[in-house]
Amino acid sequence: MGVKGFVEGGIASIVAGCSTHPLDLIKVRMQLQGEKGLPAPALQPVHSLRPAFAFHSHHGSAAAAMMAPPPHAVTVSPPRVGPISVGVKIFQTEGVKALFSGVSATVLRQTLYSTTRMGLYDILKTKWSDPESGNLPLGQKLLAGLIAGGVGAAVGNPADVAMVRMQADGRLPEAQRRNYKNVVDAISSMAKQEGVTSLWRGSGLTVNRAMIVTASQLASYDQIKEAILERHVMADGLGTHVTASFAAGFVASVASNPVDVIKTRVMNMKVEAGREAPYSGALDCALKTVRAEGPMALYKGFIPTISRQGPFTVVLFVTLEQLRKVFKEF
């Protein structure tokens, strides 16, 4: 396969990434819900204000405020909303263009990360497959996915950080937004303001997530597709490709969501000079998240994750299979 595998995988990944970008943006916004130390939402419900300020706006407000219970006794957390509500809110408050915030970073990320992982996985799979049957045991498929995903993530981490920040920017007050113009501006601004090493912030998480996603996604697709064909459930066509790819997307979503939540929060955190960073690392972020929000916080954004991962994986493999037919002629 060689270079052909990289080209096929890269094109298919870019098509899949761009077509599912709004779902990925919603997922990122949901994963950041409930994070401590962030400003309150712009549209805050009246009932979440202190009683003194919610109901007294005249001369007696100062005295009433002194008699009010401490803020921590009456604090009401902002309601956590679902993917449809998040999408509608983004559309209403930021406009339809906001649903494609960071799409330039998605293109660069898929070009670097996915092209590398898809091509390398294809090379390893071809090299390790049985010469006669062309089959590869599941264990070796998983190993090939782990290696390919890790290498691809290390290459594409700067674009990943830029994408997360651009997608999350709209949830901040205007004065605190980074307002990157595009992925090039984002990467150059991070390098100048926070140092070149900031481009690899959360890289350990990115690599771990990519290894999990690639191993579970690519290996399960190949394994399920082989099982369908061997049992003659369906012929090698669109139906088989869609079925195998959607199942692979579900497996990848379940396996990767906890790492994805932590990765999103670490990459998005704002580090100011002279102040302690919100998280010292991945483990610290995981512990603080679980303590403050419970274990299921690690599965925040799962619905949009599977809603995005399913279509993404379907588009990815269906496009890839069609490209293989086209490139077979060359």
Side-chain angles (χ1 to χ4, degrees), residues 7-328:
V7 175
E8 293 169 349
I11 295 173
S13 297
I14 291 171
V15 171
C18 290
S19 61
T20 58
H21 183 82
L23 294 171
D24 193 47
L25 183 141
I26 291 170
K27 177 202 72 174
V28 167
R29 296 287 183 93
M30 289 187 70
Q31 288 175 338
L32 292 170
Q33 281 183 10
E35 192 174 18
K36 301 299 180 183
L38 292 172
L43 300 176
Q44 190 177 27
V46 174
H47 62 72
S48 68
L49 299 174
R50 287 177 57 185
F53 294 104
F55 300 107
H56 303 283
S57 57
H58 300 292
H59 301 292
S61 61
M66 293 176 64
M67 297 174 64
H72 66 269
V74 294
T75 298
V76 178
S77 300
R80 294 172 185 172
V81 294
I84 295 176
S85 298
V86 171
V88 170
K89 184 178 179 182
I90 292 171
F91 175 77
Q92 290 176 337
T93 59
E94 302 171 51
V96 69
K97 287 176 64 177
L99 293 171
F100 286 90
S101 296
V103 72
S104 60
T106 290
V107 172
L108 181 60
R109 178 177 180 268
Q110 298 300 340
T111 301
L112 298 175
Y113 160 61
S114 286
T115 298
T116 302
R117 74 174 183 127
M118 297 290 286
L120 186 54
Y121 176 79
D122 199 61
I123 287 175
L124 293 174
K125 188 176 73 169
T126 302
K127 186 176 181 181
W128 294 347
S129 293
D130 185 285
E132 295 181 5
S133 65
N135 291 333
L136 186 69
L138 179 60
Q140 288 183 287
K141 288 174 186 168
L142 291 170
L143 179 59
L146 290 171
I147 295 171
V151 174
V155 172
N157 199 81
D160 209 357
V161 177
M163 183 183 72
V164 167
R165 289 189 172 195
M166 291 172 76
Q167 289 177 331
D169 213 32
R171 67 192 290 270
L172 296 172
E174 289 190 20
Q176 296 182 28
R177 292 180 186 176
R178 296 179 173 104
N179 294 319
Y180 299 135
K181 297 174 184 175
N182 50 51
V183 67
V184 176
D185 180 47
I187 290 175
S188 60
S189 295
M190 280 188 280
K192 289 175 185 176
Q193 297 168 11
E194 303 171 50
V196 176
T197 55
S198 68
L199 298 176
W200 275 269
R201 180 173 294 156
S203 59
L205 285 164
T206 305
V207 169
N208 289 336
R209 177 190 178 276
M211 291 172 73
I212 293 170
V213 169
T214 304
S216 58
Q217 185 187 62
L218 302 190
S220 59
Y221 174 78
D222 284 340
Q223 195 72 15
I224 294 167
K225 179 185 170 184
E226 286 174 13
I228 291 173
L229 297 177
E230 286 173 4
R231 289 169 174 75
H232 305 290
V233 178
M234 288 186 281
D236 188 4
L238 185 61
T240 297
H241 302 157
V242 170
T243 302
S245 58
F246 191 83
F250 180 80
V251 172
S253 298
V254 172
S256 67
N257 204 88
V259 181
D260 201 27
V261 170
I262 303 305
K263 176 184 78 74
T264 295
R265 294 188 172 198
V266 170
M267 285 183 168
N268 187 60
M269 70 176 176
K270 213 163 192 174
V271 181
E272 299 178 6
R275 298 185 65 179
E276 186 180 354
Y279 309 116
S280 60
L283 181 59
D284 182 51
C285 180
L287 291 174
K288 285 179 177 176
T289 298
V290 171
R291 285 171 186 164
E293 304 165 55
M296 289 309 295
L298 297 177
Y299 274 91
K300 279 186 175 181
F302 180 74
I303 298 301
T305 292
I306 186 61
S307 299
R308 181 255 181 190
Q309 192 70 260
F312 175 89
T313 310
V314 170
V315 174
L316 172 68
F317 285 114
V318 169
T319 304
L320 182 62
E321 295 285 4
Q322 296 304 310
L323 287 171
R324 283 173 176 169
K325 291 179 181 178
V326 173
F327 280 97
K328 200 173 184 179

